[in-house]
Amino acid sequence: MNDYEVIIGLEVHAELSTNTKIYCNCTTEFGADPNTHCCPICTGMPGTLPVLNEKVVEYAVKAGLAMNCEISRFSKQDRKNYFYPDLPKAYQISQYDLPLCEHGNIEITVGKDKEKYKKNIGITRIHIEEDAGKLIHDAFTGDTLVDLNRCAVPLIEIVSEPDIRSADEAVAYMQTLKSILEYLEVCDCKMQEGSLRCDVNLSVRKRGQKEFGTRTETKNLNSFRAIYNSIEFEIKRQIEVLENGGKIIQETRRFDDVKNIGYAMRTKENADDYRYFPEPDLAPIVLSEEYIEKIKNALPEMPHIKKERYMSKYGLPEYDAEQLTASKYVAKFFEEANDICNNPKAVSNWIMSDLFRLLNENEIEITSCKITSENLAKLILLIDKGTISSKIAKQIFEEMFENGKNPEDIVKEKGMTQISDENAIKEMVEKVVSNNPQSVTDYKAGKDRALGFLVGQIMKETKGKANPQIVNKMLIEILNK
Amino acid sequence: MSVSKEEVKHIAVLSKLQLTDQELEKYTSDLSNIVDFANELSNVDVDGTKPTAHILDIKNVFRKDEVQPSYDREEILKNAPSKDAGCVSVPKVVE
């Protein structure tokens, strides 16, 4: 396997989060009853005239600028002809030779810890186009049902250079794209709903060989796992074919991510078969310097810049800063909480350990989590003020995650306030010391473990509410008397 | 002939048309005539001429991103020869 080099290029389709479709005023909302978001324009009735949604251009230019592309001052749309029931016009309006954005690149970070490396992936182009309808297989009648709600929902297609060399790099690239698109708010990036998906172009060649091998295209992958597994599968398949003296056929393939196998769909039509020609119903797009400049100036802070700021301003380690900024929503949560409690390290720790763990276990996103940034900040303030111990705080955090309650209320309700009253603690310490003479003897004989045991007993007596610093201090004072 | 029989067969496949041998002969000859006629344009010297993106001198025709009600489903499906469960029903698409 090491004798081969893998060449991968990704075509990523991102549905733009505009209110309306690309050429008509139908809503783009997901999940409605079939064929209820349709009109004569998006169902391709004869005699209708498409008119381009201005937000589509704006969003595509935003994405282009964020990915360091050159923005075309003159751009046009073209018809891509093919026959399939999900496309009622029998052509898709796309862009052929004059896309909106070209020649960009993004930096990705691959791997962890010592094996971590950075790499630049070239972006060939970003163009605008329309999505197709959805085909549903009717198991009962054996027919295919056509739902055109998604038909003409605006897309950008982001085409990478063949710079990707492994499944890990492909996933890192996709994660970076997702993060950028989320920050820009041009795509909701819900991969399970298909609003962000990709096609993988892949070929292999013997190391040292100059020309590329024949490539295949695996279509419509909509999870990071499917991307990773389909690439691993296809690399293995192609090498096996070549090693057995066979030839790779240029074809379109699908990947079944339940069975974890890929299969051929149809042999790829040549590019010419799409018979592209300029769309006569739509006017060219001519962008002024002012227009592009205005969008550039309004771009939000991008994840890699935010990461640097988290490191310099909050003194967070690189790993923490990277984890917190990968998702716009996590970063927002972090900043909101820190604005209230002003303890970046504590906020970061709570998010990265307890919150991420609970989100993972319950398979929910931070946006639908019951703990608000404000309540996390309050919890941290309760610890910082010494009202509760950090051990108790963990219990409270779990409860906040369950029911979204304010930590101050939970503390009051359950009487969890930390005991910091020295007299009360002294009483408790004396009681525990007199009940455990053996441990006292052990401690005096130099066995440090006895001290830990006694602290444990005191914490048990107080149900974890005693201030541990004071307990320690008192205990040592009394034992050393 | 400027258009070959093979090309006509290929175009027929893309257009989902089935041609008889007789039709194939006829279309090859007819299409060749059309292409020859259009090819006269190839003799025009277009050096330095910008490709035409649109025949009218217009640019930037946009609309606002504002939702308007869609059509009733009954209206949309009116022309469908076959429908089922609120969808257009077509013969099984094999993948």
Side-chain angles (χ1 to χ4, degrees):
Chain A
M1 208 158 154
N2 277 329
D3 300 344
Y4 287 89
E5 187 185 19
V6 180
I7 315 285
I8 299 169
L10 254 51
E11 290 169 23
V12 175
H13 287 94
E15 275 182 3
L16 298 178
S17 40
T18 53
N19 299 323
T20 64
K21 293 188 177 181
I22 184 165
Y23 303 118
C24 65
N25 292 303
C26 289
T27 175
T28 55
E29 203 185 311
F30 181 80
D33 284 344
N35 297 305
T36 53
H37 293 169
C38 301
C39 75
I41 296 174
C42 56
T43 53
M45 294 294 166
T48 51
L49 194 64
V51 185
L52 182 57
N53 181 343
E54 62 181 6
K55 284 278 171 204
V56 170
V57 178
E58 185 189 320
Y59 285 10
V61 170
K62 261 191 185 177
L65 290 169
M67 297 177 200
N68 308 306
C69 289
E70 291 162 19
I71 308 301
S72 305
R73 286 359 185 217
F74 185 94
S75 177
K76 72 172 167 66
Q77 295 168 87
D78 301 274
R79 288 188 184 181
K80 177 182 179 179
N81 298 279
Y82 67 95
F83 186 86
Y84 211 62
D86 62 5
L87 190 71
K89 297 196 299 295
Y91 59 84
Q92 177 194 33
I93 304 178
S94 179
Q95 295 194 286
Y96 185 54
D97 56 334
L98 297 172
L100 264 180
C101 319
E102 283 183 286
H103 312 305
N105 65 81
I106 60 171
E107 189 186 69
I108 62 168
T109 306
V110 195
K112 259 190 193 160
D113 305 326
K114 277 192 178 158
E115 266 137 53
K116 191 160 107 173
Y117 62 96
K118 285 184 195 307
K119 184 171 178 178
N120 252 309
I121 306 293
I123 305 284
T124 314
R125 56 187 277 157
I126 303 176
H127 66 253
I128 56 173
E129 61 183 26
E130 53 180 340
D131 209 345
K134 204 171 96 186
L135 299 180
I136 312 150
H137 182 64
D138 186 337
F140 185 64
T141 60
D143 288 340
T144 295
L145 301 177
V146 188
D147 171 10
L148 298 174
N149 282 348
R150 200 183 59 186
C151 211
V153 165
L155 295 174
I156 48 174
E157 179 174 329
I158 305 160
V159 183
S160 87
E161 289 289 303
D163 290 344
I164 299 165
R165 291 290 171 274
S166 68
D168 282 320
E169 288 188 9
V171 169
Y173 170 78
M174 193 67 174
Q175 278 167 338
T176 309
L177 271 194
K178 179 173 185 261
S179 165
I180 292 173
L181 295 172
E182 265 180 14
Y183 268 76
L184 293 172
E185 300 184 3
V186 299
C187 172
D188 68 15
C189 296
K190 290 181 183 162
M191 296 179 81
Q192 68 285 2
E193 289 181 8
S195 50
L196 184 68
R197 51 192 199 257
C198 84
D199 305 339
V200 174
N201 286 294
L202 187 150
S203 66
V204 299
R205 65 178 170 197
K206 273 259 160 93
R207 284 194 192 278
Q209 182 184 315
K210 279 240 173 74
E211 57 282 6
F212 288 129
T214 306
R215 68 184 162 86
T216 61
E217 181 180 20
T218 303
K219 285 251 182 218
N220 262 328
L221 300 160
N222 64 355
S223 74
F224 293 120
R225 199 188 51 200
I227 294 168
Y228 186 90
N229 289 342
S230 71
I231 290 175
E232 290 283 297
F233 177 91
E234 187 59 11
I235 294 172
K236 212 170 144 235
R237 188 191 71 87
Q238 291 195 9
I239 292 176
E240 260 172 33
V241 169
L242 293 173
E243 285 292 300
N244 291 326
K247 266 181 123 175
I248 303 298
I249 305 162
Q250 187 177 343
E251 63 191 358
T252 303
R253 303 178 58 86
R254 278 224 185 273
F255 186 74
D256 182 327
D257 60 350
V258 179
K259 292 186 193 141
N260 242 342
I261 46 170
Y263 52 93
M265 242 166 75
R266 57 183 142 104
T267 45
K268 179 103 179 140
E269 294 175 60
N270 293 321
D272 289 342
D273 280 358
Y274 288 130
R275 291 150 291 145
Y276 278 100
F277 62 86
E279 169 58 69
D281 286 343
L282 290 161
I285 303 161
V286 181
L287 301 181
S288 66
E289 302 307 316
E290 298 78 55
Y291 177 88
I292 296 166
E293 209 47 38
K294 206 174 146 197
I295 293 178
K296 195 185 255 172
N297 292 335
L299 284 181
E301 184 182 38
M302 285 291 114
H304 63 285
I305 312 259
K306 203 184 265 290
K307 183 184 119 186
E308 296 297 325
R309 182 165 66 86
Y310 279 22
M311 289 164 68
S312 58
K313 183 175 168 192
Y314 301 124
L316 294 175
E318 185 178 5
Y319 181 74
D320 297 32
E322 202 167 280
Q323 295 289 308
L324 293 173
T325 54
S327 151
K328 182 187 95 177
Y329 305 105
V330 174
K332 187 164 166 264
F333 191 94
F334 168 81
E335 287 181 30
E336 285 171 358
N338 187 57
D339 283 348
I340 301 171
C341 68
N342 194 24
N343 187 345
K345 189 62 199 160
V347 178
S348 165
N349 285 344
W350 278 102
I351 294 176
M352 295 201 4
S353 55
D354 299 74
L355 186 60
F356 280 174
R357 175 178 56 80
L358 288 170
L359 292 175
N360 263 332
E361 281 171 12
N362 294 279
E363 291 182 351
I364 58 170
E365 299 283 329
I366 195 164
T367 42
S368 41
C369 169
K370 284 187 182 155
I371 298 184
T372 61
S373 50
E374 190 190 349
N375 280 344
L376 174 60
K378 281 184 183 163
L379 183 71
I380 291 168
L381 284 173
L382 288 171
I383 305 167
D384 289 350
K385 281 190 291 196
T387 313
I388 54 170
S389 68
S390 48
K391 202 174 160 205
I392 291 281
K394 298 242 174 206
Q395 286 175 38
I396 298 176
F397 190 82
E398 300 262 347
E399 192 173 337
M400 286 160 68
F401 188 84
E402 287 297 318
N403 57 26
K405 273 193 188 162
N406 179 328
E408 287 158 356
D409 293 343
I410 300 177
V411 167
K412 256 183 234 156
E413 262 169 42
K414 305 212 161 163
M416 286 166 147
T417 310
Q418 178 164 266
I419 303 166
S420 299
D421 173 3
E422 300 213 359
N423 284 329
I425 292 180
K426 195 174 172 192
E427 218 170 90
M428 211 79 72
V429 171
E430 279 167 345
K431 186 177 153 202
V432 167
V433 165
S434 67
N435 285 346
N436 295 281
Q438 183 59 47
S439 298
V440 176
T441 320
D442 287 350
Y443 172 77
K444 291 196 167 154
K447 288 185 186 165
D448 284 343
R449 275 182 54 202
L451 187 69
F453 173 78
L454 290 170
V455 171
Q457 291 302 305
I458 296 161
M459 295 313 277
K460 204 169 152 190
E461 282 286 321
T462 60
K463 299 195 178 72
K465 287 190 290 188
N467 180 324
Q469 279 90 29
I470 300 178
V471 169
N472 255 316
K473 199 184 90 190
M474 288 272 169
L475 186 61
I476 291 170
E477 259 176 41
I478 290 171
L479 289 173
N480 290 344
K481 246 187 217 164
Chain B
M1 290 280 186
S2 51
V3 178
S4 71
K5 273 191 194 171
E6 291 313 309
E7 281 173 304
V8 177
K9 276 186 192 165
H10 178 64
I11 294 162
V13 169
L14 292 175
S15 318
K16 313 286 166 197
L17 295 174
Q18 278 181 325
L19 303 181
T20 62
D21 286 350
Q22 224 178 351
E23 284 168 329
L24 186 61
E25 292 289 342
K26 181 173 160 47
Y27 287 135
T28 306
S29 146
D30 286 357
L31 282 171
S32 288
N33 282 335
I34 294 169
V35 170
D36 286 343
F37 173 69
N39 266 346
E40 300 228 351
L41 290 173
S42 305
N43 299 326
V44 181
D45 179 9
V46 290
D47 276 356
T49 309
K50 268 210 267 174
T52 305
H54 200 278
I55 51 160
L56 302 176
D57 187 20
I58 53 169
K59 61 178 185 189
N60 297 344
V61 180
F62 298 136
R63 37 165 266 277
K64 295 252 175 270
D65 185 28
E66 286 160 5
V67 176
Q68 276 167 25
S70 295
Y71 273 50
D72 276 348
R73 182 155 76 187
E74 305 315 310
E75 281 292 299
I76 287 298
L77 296 179
K78 222 176 196 171
N79 296 323
S82 170
K83 50 201 141 187
D84 186 16
C87 293
V88 182
S89 176
V90 298
K92 186 179 174 184
V93 183
V94 186
E95 280 194 349

